[in-house]
Short mmCIF file of all heavy atoms in Angstrom, two decimals:
data_model
loop_
_atom_site.label_atom_id
_atom_site.label_comp_id
_atom_site.label_asym_id
_atom_site.label_seq_id
_atom_site.Cartn_x
_atom_site.Cartn_y
_atom_site.Cartn_z
N ARG A 1419 0.85 -1.19 0.00
CA ARG A 1419 0.00 0.00 0.00
C ARG A 1419 0.88 1.24 0.00
O ARG A 1419 2.02 1.19 0.44
CB ARG A 1419 -0.95 0.00 1.20
CG ARG A 1419 -0.27 -0.11 2.54
CD ARG A 1419 -1.27 -0.43 3.66
NE ARG A 1419 -0.64 -0.48 4.98
CZ ARG A 1419 -0.07 -1.55 5.50
NH1 ARG A 1419 -0.02 -2.68 4.80
NH2 ARG A 1419 0.47 -1.52 6.70
N LEU A 1420 0.36 2.32 -0.53
CA LEU A 1420 1.04 3.61 -0.48
C LEU A 1420 0.34 4.45 0.59
O LEU A 1420 -0.86 4.68 0.49
CB LEU A 1420 1.00 4.31 -1.84
CG LEU A 1420 2.19 4.03 -2.76
CD1 LEU A 1420 2.18 2.58 -3.20
CD2 LEU A 1420 2.19 4.95 -3.97
N SER A 1421 1.12 4.86 1.56
CA SER A 1421 0.52 5.51 2.73
C SER A 1421 1.28 6.76 3.13
O SER A 1421 2.48 6.91 2.86
CB SER A 1421 0.49 4.54 3.92
OG SER A 1421 -0.31 3.43 3.65
N LEU A 1422 0.55 7.64 3.81
CA LEU A 1422 1.16 8.80 4.47
C LEU A 1422 1.54 8.39 5.88
O LEU A 1422 0.79 7.67 6.56
CB LEU A 1422 0.17 9.96 4.51
CG LEU A 1422 -0.06 10.68 3.17
CD1 LEU A 1422 -1.37 11.44 3.18
CD2 LEU A 1422 1.11 11.64 2.87
N ALA A 1423 2.69 8.86 6.33
CA ALA A 1423 3.15 8.56 7.68
C ALA A 1423 3.79 9.80 8.28
O ALA A 1423 4.37 10.63 7.56
CB ALA A 1423 4.15 7.40 7.67
N ILE A 1424 3.69 9.91 9.60
CA ILE A 1424 4.25 11.05 10.32
C ILE A 1424 4.97 10.53 11.57
O ILE A 1424 4.81 9.37 11.95
CB ILE A 1424 3.14 12.06 10.73
CG1 ILE A 1424 2.17 11.41 11.73
CG2 ILE A 1424 2.38 12.57 9.50
CD1 ILE A 1424 1.15 12.38 12.31
N PRO A 1425 5.77 11.37 12.23
CA PRO A 1425 6.45 10.94 13.46
C PRO A 1425 5.46 10.45 14.51
O PRO A 1425 4.37 11.00 14.65
CB PRO A 1425 7.18 12.21 13.92
CG PRO A 1425 7.44 12.96 12.64
CD PRO A 1425 6.22 12.71 11.79
N LYS A 1426 5.84 9.41 15.23
CA LYS A 1426 4.95 8.76 16.20
C LYS A 1426 4.38 9.72 17.23
O LYS A 1426 3.24 9.62 17.63
CB LYS A 1426 5.70 7.65 16.92
CG LYS A 1426 5.67 6.32 16.21
CD LYS A 1426 6.35 5.26 17.07
CE LYS A 1426 6.36 3.94 16.33
NZ LYS A 1426 7.11 2.91 17.10
N GLY A 1427 5.19 10.64 17.71
CA GLY A 1427 4.75 11.50 18.79
C GLY A 1427 3.79 12.60 18.39
O GLY A 1427 3.22 13.28 19.25
N LYS A 1428 3.55 12.79 17.11
CA LYS A 1428 2.68 13.86 16.65
C LYS A 1428 1.21 13.44 16.70
O LYS A 1428 0.85 12.36 16.24
CB LYS A 1428 3.02 14.24 15.20
CG LYS A 1428 4.45 14.71 14.99
CD LYS A 1428 4.65 16.12 15.47
CE LYS A 1428 6.05 16.61 15.10
NZ LYS A 1428 6.29 18.01 15.56
N PRO A 1429 0.35 14.30 17.26
CA PRO A 1429 -1.10 13.99 17.23
C PRO A 1429 -1.62 14.16 15.80
O PRO A 1429 -1.13 15.02 15.05
CB PRO A 1429 -1.71 15.03 18.17
CG PRO A 1429 -0.72 16.16 18.17
CD PRO A 1429 0.62 15.55 17.98
N TYR A 1430 -2.58 13.33 15.42
CA TYR A 1430 -3.10 13.37 14.04
C TYR A 1430 -4.62 13.39 14.07
O TYR A 1430 -5.25 12.57 14.73
CB TYR A 1430 -2.61 12.15 13.26
CG TYR A 1430 -3.02 12.15 11.82
CD1 TYR A 1430 -2.39 12.98 10.89
CD2 TYR A 1430 -4.08 11.34 11.37
CE1 TYR A 1430 -2.78 12.99 9.55
CE2 TYR A 1430 -4.47 11.34 10.04
CZ TYR A 1430 -3.82 12.17 9.13
OH TYR A 1430 -4.21 12.19 7.81
N ASP A 1431 -5.22 14.35 13.35
CA ASP A 1431 -6.68 14.50 13.37
C ASP A 1431 -7.29 14.48 11.97
O ASP A 1431 -8.37 15.02 11.74
CB ASP A 1431 -7.06 15.79 14.09
CG ASP A 1431 -6.42 17.03 13.46
OD1 ASP A 1431 -5.67 16.87 12.46
OD2 ASP A 1431 -6.66 18.14 13.95
N GLY A 1432 -6.59 13.87 11.03
CA GLY A 1432 -7.13 13.80 9.68
C GLY A 1432 -6.17 14.37 8.66
O GLY A 1432 -5.13 14.97 9.00
N VAL A 1433 -6.52 14.21 7.37
CA VAL A 1433 -5.61 14.58 6.30
C VAL A 1433 -5.32 16.07 6.27
O VAL A 1433 -4.29 16.51 5.74
CB VAL A 1433 -6.19 14.10 4.93
CG1 VAL A 1433 -7.39 14.92 4.53
CG2 VAL A 1433 -5.13 14.11 3.85
N GLY A 1434 -6.18 16.87 6.90
CA GLY A 1434 -5.93 18.30 6.99
C GLY A 1434 -4.66 18.63 7.76
O GLY A 1434 -4.14 19.75 7.67
N TRP A 1435 -4.15 17.67 8.53
CA TRP A 1435 -2.91 17.86 9.28
C TRP A 1435 -1.76 18.25 8.35
O TRP A 1435 -0.84 18.97 8.75
CB TRP A 1435 -2.55 16.55 9.99
CG TRP A 1435 -1.34 16.61 10.89
CD1 TRP A 1435 -1.31 16.91 12.22
CD2 TRP A 1435 0.03 16.37 10.51
NE1 TRP A 1435 -0.02 16.87 12.71
CE2 TRP A 1435 0.82 16.53 11.67
CE3 TRP A 1435 0.66 16.03 9.32
CZ2 TRP A 1435 2.21 16.37 11.68
CZ3 TRP A 1435 2.05 15.87 9.31
CH2 TRP A 1435 2.81 16.03 10.47
N PHE A 1436 -1.83 17.79 7.09
CA PHE A 1436 -0.73 18.03 6.15
C PHE A 1436 -0.80 19.41 5.49
O PHE A 1436 0.09 19.75 4.71
CB PHE A 1436 -0.73 16.94 5.07
CG PHE A 1436 -0.31 15.59 5.59
CD1 PHE A 1436 -1.27 14.67 5.95
CD2 PHE A 1436 1.02 15.27 5.74
CE1 PHE A 1436 -0.90 13.42 6.44
CE2 PHE A 1436 1.41 14.03 6.24
CZ PHE A 1436 0.45 13.09 6.59
N GLU A 1437 -1.83 20.19 5.76
CA GLU A 1437 -1.95 21.53 5.19
C GLU A 1437 -0.70 22.36 5.54
O GLU A 1437 -0.35 22.53 6.72
CB GLU A 1437 -3.20 22.23 5.72
CG GLU A 1437 -3.45 23.61 5.14
CD GLU A 1437 -3.88 23.58 3.67
OE1 GLU A 1437 -4.56 22.60 3.27
OE2 GLU A 1437 -3.55 24.53 2.94
N GLY A 1438 -0.02 22.85 4.50
CA GLY A 1438 1.16 23.68 4.72
C GLY A 1438 2.41 22.91 5.11
O GLY A 1438 3.47 23.52 5.28
N LYS A 1439 2.31 21.60 5.23
CA LYS A 1439 3.46 20.79 5.63
C LYS A 1439 4.27 20.32 4.40
O LYS A 1439 3.82 20.45 3.26
CB LYS A 1439 3.00 19.55 6.41
CG LYS A 1439 2.17 19.84 7.66
CD LYS A 1439 3.03 20.34 8.80
CE LYS A 1439 2.36 20.14 10.16
NZ LYS A 1439 1.00 20.66 10.28
N THR A 1440 5.44 19.77 4.66
CA THR A 1440 6.29 19.21 3.62
C THR A 1440 6.24 17.68 3.70
O THR A 1440 6.43 17.11 4.78
CB THR A 1440 7.75 19.69 3.75
OG1 THR A 1440 7.78 21.11 3.61
CG2 THR A 1440 8.64 19.05 2.70
N ILE A 1441 6.00 17.06 2.56
CA ILE A 1441 5.90 15.60 2.51
C ILE A 1441 6.96 15.07 1.55
O ILE A 1441 7.01 15.48 0.38
CB ILE A 1441 4.51 15.14 2.02
CG1 ILE A 1441 3.40 15.79 2.85
CG2 ILE A 1441 4.40 13.61 2.09
CD1 ILE A 1441 2.01 15.60 2.27
N ALA A 1442 7.80 14.17 2.01
CA ALA A 1442 8.83 13.56 1.18
C ALA A 1442 8.28 12.30 0.53
O ALA A 1442 7.61 11.50 1.18
CB ALA A 1442 10.07 13.22 2.01
N THR A 1443 8.57 12.12 -0.75
CA THR A 1443 8.04 10.95 -1.45
C THR A 1443 8.81 10.66 -2.74
O THR A 1443 9.48 11.54 -3.30
CB THR A 1443 6.55 11.15 -1.80
OG1 THR A 1443 6.03 9.94 -2.36
CG2 THR A 1443 6.37 12.28 -2.80
N SER A 1444 8.69 9.43 -3.21
CA SER A 1444 9.17 9.06 -4.54
C SER A 1444 8.00 8.93 -5.51
O SER A 1444 8.20 8.54 -6.67
CB SER A 1444 9.93 7.72 -4.47
OG SER A 1444 11.04 7.81 -3.61
N TYR A 1445 6.80 9.26 -5.03
CA TYR A 1445 5.58 9.12 -5.84
C TYR A 1445 4.81 10.44 -5.86
O TYR A 1445 3.69 10.53 -5.35
CB TYR A 1445 4.70 8.00 -5.29
CG TYR A 1445 5.37 6.65 -5.35
CD1 TYR A 1445 6.09 6.16 -4.27
CD2 TYR A 1445 5.31 5.87 -6.51
CE1 TYR A 1445 6.73 4.93 -4.33
CE2 TYR A 1445 5.94 4.64 -6.58
CZ TYR A 1445 6.64 4.17 -5.48
OH TYR A 1445 7.28 2.96 -5.55
N PRO A 1446 5.38 11.48 -6.47
CA PRO A 1446 4.75 12.80 -6.45
C PRO A 1446 3.43 12.87 -7.22
O PRO A 1446 2.54 13.63 -6.83
CB PRO A 1446 5.80 13.71 -7.07
CG PRO A 1446 6.63 12.79 -7.92
CD PRO A 1446 6.68 11.51 -7.17
N VAL A 1447 3.29 12.10 -8.29
CA VAL A 1447 2.06 12.16 -9.09
C VAL A 1447 0.87 11.63 -8.29
O VAL A 1447 -0.18 12.28 -8.20
CB VAL A 1447 2.23 11.36 -10.40
CG1 VAL A 1447 0.89 11.28 -11.15
CG2 VAL A 1447 3.29 12.00 -11.29
N ILE A 1448 1.02 10.46 -7.71
CA ILE A 1448 -0.08 9.86 -6.93
C ILE A 1448 -0.39 10.72 -5.72
O ILE A 1448 -1.56 10.98 -5.40
CB ILE A 1448 0.29 8.44 -6.49
CG1 ILE A 1448 0.47 7.53 -7.71
CG2 ILE A 1448 -0.78 7.86 -5.56
CD1 ILE A 1448 1.01 6.15 -7.40
N LEU A 1449 0.66 11.20 -5.03
CA LEU A 1449 0.45 12.03 -3.84
C LEU A 1449 -0.24 13.34 -4.20
O LEU A 1449 -1.20 13.75 -3.53
CB LEU A 1449 1.79 12.30 -3.16
CG LEU A 1449 1.73 13.25 -1.96
CD1 LEU A 1449 0.79 12.74 -0.88
CD2 LEU A 1449 3.14 13.47 -1.39
N SER A 1450 0.22 14.03 -5.24
CA SER A 1450 -0.36 15.31 -5.62
C SER A 1450 -1.83 15.15 -6.00
O SER A 1450 -2.67 16.00 -5.67
CB SER A 1450 0.42 15.93 -6.79
OG SER A 1450 1.76 16.21 -6.40
N ARG A 1451 -2.15 14.06 -6.68
CA ARG A 1451 -3.55 13.79 -7.06
C ARG A 1451 -4.41 13.59 -5.81
O ARG A 1451 -5.52 14.12 -5.72
CB ARG A 1451 -3.59 12.55 -7.95
CG ARG A 1451 -4.97 12.24 -8.50
CD ARG A 1451 -4.87 11.13 -9.55
NE ARG A 1451 -4.33 9.89 -8.97
CZ ARG A 1451 -3.67 8.98 -9.67
NH1 ARG A 1451 -3.41 9.16 -10.95
NH2 ARG A 1451 -3.23 7.89 -9.08
N PHE A 1452 -3.89 12.87 -4.85
CA PHE A 1452 -4.63 12.63 -3.60
C PHE A 1452 -4.85 13.94 -2.84
O PHE A 1452 -5.97 14.22 -2.37
CB PHE A 1452 -3.87 11.63 -2.73
CG PHE A 1452 -4.45 11.44 -1.36
CD1 PHE A 1452 -5.58 10.66 -1.18
CD2 PHE A 1452 -3.86 12.04 -0.26
CE1 PHE A 1452 -6.13 10.48 0.09
CE2 PHE A 1452 -4.39 11.87 1.02
CZ PHE A 1452 -5.53 11.09 1.19
N LEU A 1453 -3.80 14.72 -2.71
CA LEU A 1453 -3.92 15.99 -1.97
C LEU A 1453 -4.92 16.93 -2.65
O LEU A 1453 -5.71 17.60 -1.98
CB LEU A 1453 -2.55 16.67 -1.87
CG LEU A 1453 -1.50 15.94 -1.02
CD1 LEU A 1453 -0.15 16.65 -1.13
CD2 LEU A 1453 -1.95 15.86 0.45
N ALA A 1454 -4.91 16.95 -4.00
CA ALA A 1454 -5.85 17.80 -4.73
C ALA A 1454 -7.29 17.34 -4.49
O ALA A 1454 -8.19 18.17 -4.32
CB ALA A 1454 -5.52 17.76 -6.22
N GLU A 1455 -7.51 16.02 -4.46
CA GLU A 1455 -8.85 15.48 -4.21
C GLU A 1455 -9.34 15.87 -2.82
O GLU A 1455 -10.54 16.10 -2.62
CB GLU A 1455 -8.84 13.96 -4.35
CG GLU A 1455 -8.67 13.46 -5.79
CD GLU A 1455 -8.46 11.96 -5.85
OE1 GLU A 1455 -8.37 11.32 -4.77
OE2 GLU A 1455 -8.37 11.42 -6.97
N LYS A 1456 -8.41 15.95 -1.86
CA LYS A 1456 -8.77 16.27 -0.48
C LYS A 1456 -8.74 17.77 -0.20
O LYS A 1456 -9.09 18.21 0.90
CB LYS A 1456 -7.81 15.56 0.49
CG LYS A 1456 -7.86 14.04 0.41
CD LYS A 1456 -9.22 13.51 0.80
CE LYS A 1456 -9.27 11.99 0.77
NZ LYS A 1456 -10.61 11.45 1.14
N GLY A 1457 -8.31 18.55 -1.19
CA GLY A 1457 -8.25 20.00 -1.00
C GLY A 1457 -7.17 20.44 -0.03
O GLY A 1457 -7.31 21.47 0.63
N VAL A 1458 -6.09 19.69 0.04
CA VAL A 1458 -4.99 19.99 0.96
C VAL A 1458 -3.81 20.54 0.17
O VAL A 1458 -3.39 19.95 -0.83
CB VAL A 1458 -4.55 18.73 1.74
CG1 VAL A 1458 -3.30 19.03 2.57
CG2 VAL A 1458 -5.68 18.24 2.63
N LYS A 1459 -3.29 21.67 0.60
CA LYS A 1459 -2.13 22.26 -0.04
C LYS A 1459 -0.89 21.97 0.81
O LYS A 1459 -0.78 22.46 1.93
CB LYS A 1459 -2.32 23.77 -0.23
CG LYS A 1459 -3.43 24.11 -1.21
CD LYS A 1459 -3.56 25.61 -1.39
CE LYS A 1459 -4.67 25.93 -2.41
NZ LYS A 1459 -4.85 27.39 -2.59
N ALA A 1460 -0.01 21.16 0.26
CA ALA A 1460 1.22 20.81 0.95
C ALA A 1460 2.37 20.87 -0.04
O ALA A 1460 2.17 20.80 -1.25
CB ALA A 1460 1.12 19.41 1.56
N HIS A 1461 3.59 20.98 0.48
CA HIS A 1461 4.77 20.98 -0.38
C HIS A 1461 5.23 19.53 -0.56
O HIS A 1461 5.50 18.83 0.41
CB HIS A 1461 5.89 21.81 0.22
CG HIS A 1461 7.17 21.74 -0.56
ND1 HIS A 1461 7.28 22.23 -1.85
CD2 HIS A 1461 8.38 21.21 -0.25
CE1 HIS A 1461 8.51 22.02 -2.29
NE2 HIS A 1461 9.20 21.40 -1.34
N VAL A 1462 5.31 19.10 -1.82
CA VAL A 1462 5.75 17.74 -2.11
C VAL A 1462 7.24 17.78 -2.44
O VAL A 1462 7.66 18.39 -3.44
CB VAL A 1462 4.96 17.14 -3.30
CG1 VAL A 1462 5.49 15.75 -3.64
CG2 VAL A 1462 3.47 17.07 -2.95
N HIS A 1463 8.04 17.15 -1.59
CA HIS A 1463 9.48 17.13 -1.78
C HIS A 1463 9.87 15.76 -2.35
O HIS A 1463 9.74 14.73 -1.68
CB HIS A 1463 10.20 17.36 -0.44
CG HIS A 1463 11.69 17.45 -0.57
ND1 HIS A 1463 12.33 18.54 -1.12
CD2 HIS A 1463 12.68 16.58 -0.24
CE1 HIS A 1463 13.64 18.35 -1.10
NE2 HIS A 1463 13.87 17.15 -0.57
N VAL A 1464 10.34 15.75 -3.59
CA VAL A 1464 10.64 14.50 -4.28
C VAL A 1464 12.07 14.05 -3.97
O VAL A 1464 13.03 14.80 -4.21
CB VAL A 1464 10.47 14.65 -5.81
CG1 VAL A 1464 10.76 13.31 -6.51
CG2 VAL A 1464 9.07 15.14 -6.15
N ILE A 1465 12.19 12.85 -3.43
CA ILE A 1465 13.51 12.27 -3.21
C ILE A 1465 13.46 10.81 -3.64
O ILE A 1465 12.39 10.19 -3.67
CB ILE A 1465 13.96 12.36 -1.73
CG1 ILE A 1465 12.98 11.64 -0.79
CG2 ILE A 1465 14.14 13.80 -1.31
CD1 ILE A 1465 13.45 11.62 0.65
N GLN A 1466 14.60 10.25 -3.96
CA GLN A 1466 14.71 8.84 -4.31
C GLN A 1466 15.47 8.14 -3.18
O GLN A 1466 16.31 8.73 -2.52
CB GLN A 1466 15.47 8.67 -5.63
CG GLN A 1466 14.83 9.38 -6.82
CD GLN A 1466 13.44 8.86 -7.14
OE1 GLN A 1466 13.15 7.69 -6.96
NE2 GLN A 1466 12.57 9.75 -7.62
#
């Protein structure tokens, strides 16, 4: 599965948590499509 993950100690209350945050990924197309569907604006940082 392709999933979003955050540090264990951070409280999480839904996908809106990622608003304004930076997300590292090797799958920017799938992630950007998901964020757009959810109306969340985040910075996608592409790394391999």
Side-chain angles (χ1 to χ4, degrees):
R1419 56 194 183 273
L1420 268 67
S1421 297
L1422 286 159
I1424 65 173
K1426 273 185 182 176
K1428 301 283 187 181
Y1430 183 76
D1431 57 0
V1433 71
W1435 184 91
F1436 290 97
E1437 183 71 33
K1439 303 285 201 308
T1440 298
I1441 308 169
T1443 186
S1444 300
Y1445 297 93
V1447 173
I1448 296 173
L1449 175 58
S1450 297
R1451 185 171 61 207
F1452 173 77
L1453 293 174
E1455 289 172 356
K1456 298 297 182 180
V1458 173
K1459 294 181 179 179
H1461 175 65
V1462 176
H1463 184 73
V1464 182
I1465 60 176
Q1466 302 298 327

